[in-house]
Amino acid sequence: MLARRPQRTQRMTGVEFERPEEADWKSQISNVTPPSSFVEEADRFSKALDALSVAPKAPADQRTDIFALVDLYYQYALDEVGILRKSSNKSSGAGLRRLDEVSNTSQDSMDLDDARSTANSVDELERWEQEAQVWDMLRRLLPLRYSSRNTLRPVRRDISKFQSGGELWDEFLQSDPIAQERKAILESLQTSADESRTDIDELVRDYQKRAERGDIITHGWLHTRSAIKVQKNVNGWSGPLDPNSADAGQLVDVNGSNPLVTQLDPDVVTRQGRKLEPQDEYFERAIWIGCYELLRRGRSLNEIRDWCIERTEVWRALSMSALPLSRTEESNQSSTDPLSLLLWRRTCFALARQGGTDDFERAVYGILSGDISSVDKVCRSWDDFVFAHYNSLLRGQFDAYLLKRSSPDATAAVHQMFPSFNALQFHGDASSASERLMSTLESNPKTSAEAKTPWKALQAAIISNTLPQYMHDLGVALGKRANLKAPSQLIPEIDDAAVSVDDPRFFQLTDHQGLRLATHVHLLVSKLDQLEGESSPGPKSRRAQDTIVTTYVSILRLTDMIDLMPLYCSKLQEEQAFFTLSRNITQVEDPNEREVLLKLMEKLGMNTAKFIAYQPKSLLEQYPVQDQPVPAFGAFTVFLNGPATLKYGRPLRPDFFGEVPETLDPVDESLIQSLEWFLLVDGLWDEFFQAGTAIYKRFLKGFNLHAARALSERVRCADIFKRKTDIVVPDETDMSWFDDIVSGATTCYIQGQEITPEQVTAAKNFFEMECLVRALDTMETIASSEAMAQDPTEELGRDFWSHVGNEVKCIKSCMRPLLTDWLLESVEEDVDFTYLRDAYLPETIIGYVSVLHFAGTSLSRDNLLECMELAAIIARKDADVAAVLMKAGRMKEIVEGFANCSKALAISSNEKNRQGGSSKKLRELGWTRELWSVKR
């Protein structure tokens, strides 16, 4: 559905729609070169998201599609992890080979390059691993939170009936939605550990090496067995040694400092209070680390058994076999009564708290019993701590379930004789336990730094089911950062003292991949909430959450991914969508590209007509003009200060528009662009002329002639008529085409209906202001030509005077509407029109007299005759311009201008570049040159 561009620039360039002072926050985005993968990933993610917008479906089907999309995003992340791991391994190997081959001179440089490359690869790999974990959590939890999972309740079986452990476990999960979520979270943590942690054999390699047994991983405590055997042979002992006997005192380790165990059964160390040989202690630690990692990674019971059998330590697998909480579905078919499972858990708890010689051994039994403190000691990361607590909670829930399935007398005895850790009581109310745990991890010195990273903060919000609050706070943080140094006109700042701008839990404006992730998570979860019929967030919260999307849209624009912006804007509320999209398309100037965007918007269900009409209206509202207008009279002038001459009349200023800027003010540019969009669609007649008239008034009231000229060149009234009606305008420089419509000589039809007088009037105001601007523009051009004509060093040929003649013809056409009822007829009375008449008509008409004077002495005396016709028009009783001239106190000036033209006409004895009689039109009006010729 989305159109693709053949080439995208990797460097983020472009200008944020802004006032100059807004560049500070924008530079945080635009001055960063994104990873090459960002453009590709943004493309892939948008295509997948776009599929949800293709056709409307039933809510249940939409939910299914969203769950499938989350699975797809998870697979995307896994694919990236796999690619990066392979690339990292190849790079490491290549780097080692190169270091053997290069000279010492270049080695340092290559080492530095390799270090940088490796660091970047490691960072990117870690980032993708974190993203994969986010999507994995969502794909497991969303189907549980957004489905009718609570409708099926198992029927409790007879208490006395024996069942397998697997059956009891399944019944427990089906009966408790909270348990299902906790199990899903544990599985996600196990999956992440299994995919990202170091291989177990590699993890224990150093301990295996210290065990001094080469590649032998079987036969248990080799060094201790050998030491006992040696002592028995030397002393002639036979049979098991009593650890309390005098003979046992001679049995010490290789260092001679610790008494050695006298037997080799698994619990001998704790039972006798003696030591193993140091090498065997390393071996033992390696075994327990392996067992811990197998449980932490959610390996199946079969995998754990195989690992232990390989080391001839099968008893360890048996001790973990009662209820292995693995990621894979495996069933325990052995018949087990609930009481046995309760006793087994409490036995493991006793070993975790009181037994064992190694922290990892106690951590293994801590996992099996649902203890926390024994597992916490070996936790190294935020994930480990979350795993320890959720494992404890889930096993505590199962324990409570088993207690209900057992007889009261048996459970009372179990409670009295065998203590256990009650995680449910430790964490308190189940509805808020997760949120409190996440808060505790943020304050825990061991996990605080990691817990406050954006990735873990997002995962914490997913686990604790507080995503809406996290997204609200993220939006607030982004808004504050965007407005930190100067107000942003695109991303508003939301007043919320609870969120700090420096909070490290939220993605920075420069973290493009993080914001991509946050945006898609927010959109999908918000859609699910909507499908569930949950109440919409309040306006403030909605605005904060939408800030995430608007920030991401800006990133898409700055990475030249313009065609993706409508998709994300369509997910916003209509007005916010229009605002965000309109402010981010200011760099789209090609009409074809604009049409593509409009087609995309239509396919996404956006109202393109409303969007086009919204743009100028919202810009005018967002950037109002200060209500302190310059006094109308004398605000600008088209004249130089020099006296009038017989040859040229009153001298015109060549550059009275002022110095031409390299670019228009961004607001002015956007206002003009907003009108250009009207040329792409049918209809919107009233909306266009209402907006266009308001924009012309804005420019002219502010004497912003450069912007007004740009508007008159890029969005002409004739173009609107040609686009929206059946009228044909053969020559746009001849403004009489509009007079024909006003007088009824030409009838126009728009959408098959004749244009009403009100519609013509609405267009007339726009047309009249366009005529003014084009007249002034032409006047400035003629003024420059006049200056060149007075320069004796200039060589002026036929082409020059031909050009001047064309400009004079153009200004005559543009001035005609200004001389009769200019801005006096409008749909509604408007005081601004009175101001514009006062500000522009006197200066423009007096300047026009000077133009005709220059043209009359330089081109043809007919122009001087037309000046006399102008005097007649002003002198008519019904002439409205005379009142304006009188009001401005400029009547004397125009009379003097006419007098100068009369003198020039009277003494002119020849013509330049033209021979023959006066024009037919002038002769019809009674004006002839002979009338002004002086006979000698």
Side-chain angles (χ1 to χ4, degrees), residues 238-251:
S238 62
L241 286 176
D242 183 353
N244 297 318
S245 66
D247 291 340
Q250 302 177 40
L251 194 60

Side-chain angles (χ1 to χ4, degrees), residues 199-495:
D199 182 75
I200 295 177
D201 290 338
E202 184 66 29
L203 200 63
V204 302
R205 188 182 304 279
D206 185 55
Y207 292 106
Q208 188 74 22
K209 183 178 181 181
R210 294 184 185 185
E212 298 179 2
R213 54 197 296 147
D215 294 330
I216 300 174
I217 59 174
T218 58
H219 307 303
W221 302 328
L222 292 178
H223 294 277
T224 302
R225 179 186 292 111
S226 176
I228 294 173
K229 186 175 182 180
V230 168
Q231 287 295 328
K232 283 186 175 183
N233 290 337
V234 169
N235 295 299
W237 300 334
S238 62
L241 286 176
D242 183 353
N244 297 318
S245 66
D247 291 340
Q250 302 177 40
L251 194 60
V252 295
D253 64 12
V254 69
N255 297 322
S257 57
N258 297 307
L260 208 61
V261 297
T262 62
Q263 298 171 12
L264 298 174
D265 54 284
D267 64 340
V268 67
V269 176
T270 54
R271 189 179 72 253
Q272 294 184 355
R274 288 171 168 261
K275 297 283 188 179
L276 300 174
E277 287 287 5
Q279 298 94 328
D280 289 335
E281 288 185 342
Y282 284 121
F283 176 75
E284 184 75 0
R285 187 174 181 83
I287 294 290
W288 284 118
I289 288 176
C291 291
Y292 168 80
E293 287 292 331
L294 289 167
L295 290 173
R296 174 66 183 84
R297 301 176 191 210
R299 295 293 181 85
S300 68
L301 178 59
N302 290 333
E303 291 178 283
I304 295 174
R305 184 183 296 113
D306 292 343
W307 195 85
C308 292
I309 289 175
E310 186 181 6
R311 289 155 177 79
T312 61
E313 299 286 334
V314 68
W315 68 270
R316 301 178 197 258
L318 293 175
S319 69
M320 294 182 276
S321 63
L323 188 63
L325 196 60
S326 65
R327 293 179 290 119
T328 57
E329 294 293 334
E330 58 179 356
S331 59
N332 183 356
Q333 298 300 329
S334 60
S335 296
T336 309
D337 68 302
L339 190 61
S340 298
L341 292 174
L342 290 170
L343 289 172
W344 174 80
R345 177 174 180 254
R346 283 154 177 76
T347 302
C348 290
F349 177 71
L351 289 171
R353 289 293 181 92
Q354 303 169 15
T357 59
D358 184 87
D359 285 343
F360 281 96
E361 179 183 358
R362 288 185 283 272
V364 166
Y365 290 111
I367 291 175
L368 297 173
S369 66
D371 187 33
I372 292 178
S373 61
S374 57
V375 183
D376 276 0
K377 292 179 181 179
V378 301
C379 290
R380 297 173 297 168
S381 66
W382 183 88
D383 283 19
D384 289 341
F385 281 94
V386 175
F387 173 84
H389 284 265
Y390 268 80
N391 173 74
S392 180
L393 283 166
L394 185 57
R395 291 187 183 273
Q397 283 182 272
F398 186 52
D399 193 76
Y401 175 79
L402 294 175
L403 287 171
K404 294 178 182 178
R405 298 293 306 274
S406 304
S407 65
D409 294 340
T411 57
V414 168
H415 272 305
Q416 184 176 359
M417 299 177 61
F418 303 99
S420 65
F421 178 72
N422 191 335
L424 305 181
Q425 183 178 352
F426 177 80
H427 282 284
D429 181 25
S431 63
S432 57
S434 297
E435 193 170 352
R436 286 196 302 274
L437 172 59
M438 298 303 122
S439 178
T440 300
L441 293 177
E442 286 186 8
S443 59
N444 186 339
K446 293 182 179 180
T447 56
S448 177
E450 186 179 6
K452 291 180 180 179
T453 61
W455 297 101
K456 291 308 175 188
L458 176 56
Q459 291 171 22
I462 294 171
I463 291 172
S464 60
N465 201 14
T466 57
L467 263 176
Q469 183 62 45
Y470 175 82
M471 293 301 174
H472 168 274
D473 294 348
L474 172 59
V476 172
L478 291 172
K480 287 188 174 184
R481 289 166 184 169
N483 291 271
L484 186 60
K485 295 183 179 180
S488 169
Q489 300 298 326
L490 177 59
I491 300 180
E493 181 173 4
I494 300 170
D495 186 19

Side-chain angles (χ1 to χ4, degrees), residues 670-715:
S670 294
L671 285 168
I672 297 171
Q673 286 190 18
S674 71
L675 295 180
E676 290 177 328
W677 285 81
F678 284 88
L679 292 168
L680 303 176
V681 297
D682 296 329
L684 299 177
W685 180 273
D686 293 334
E687 290 84 352
F688 170 80
F689 284 111
Q690 182 179 2
T693 300
I695 292 172
Y696 258 131
K697 286 196 303 181
R698 175 194 180 99
F699 291 161
L700 293 175
K701 284 179 64 179
F703 299 94
N704 188 353
L705 298 181
H706 291 296
R709 175 166 57 192
L711 174 55
S712 71
E713 292 172 347
R714 291 161 56 179
V715 188

Side-chain angles (χ1 to χ4, degrees), residues 36 297 386 487 641 778 873 889 892:
S36 59
R297 301 176 191 210
V386 175
N641 291 327
T778 307
I873 292 174
K892 179 182 178 182

Side-chain angles (χ1 to χ4, degrees), residues 640-661:
L640 294 172
N641 291 327
T645 64
L646 189 62
K647 175 67 174 176
Y648 299 105
R650 190 172 176 182
L652 293 169
R653 183 184 299 276
D655 56 351
F656 62 81
F657 269 56
E659 185 178 355
V660 179

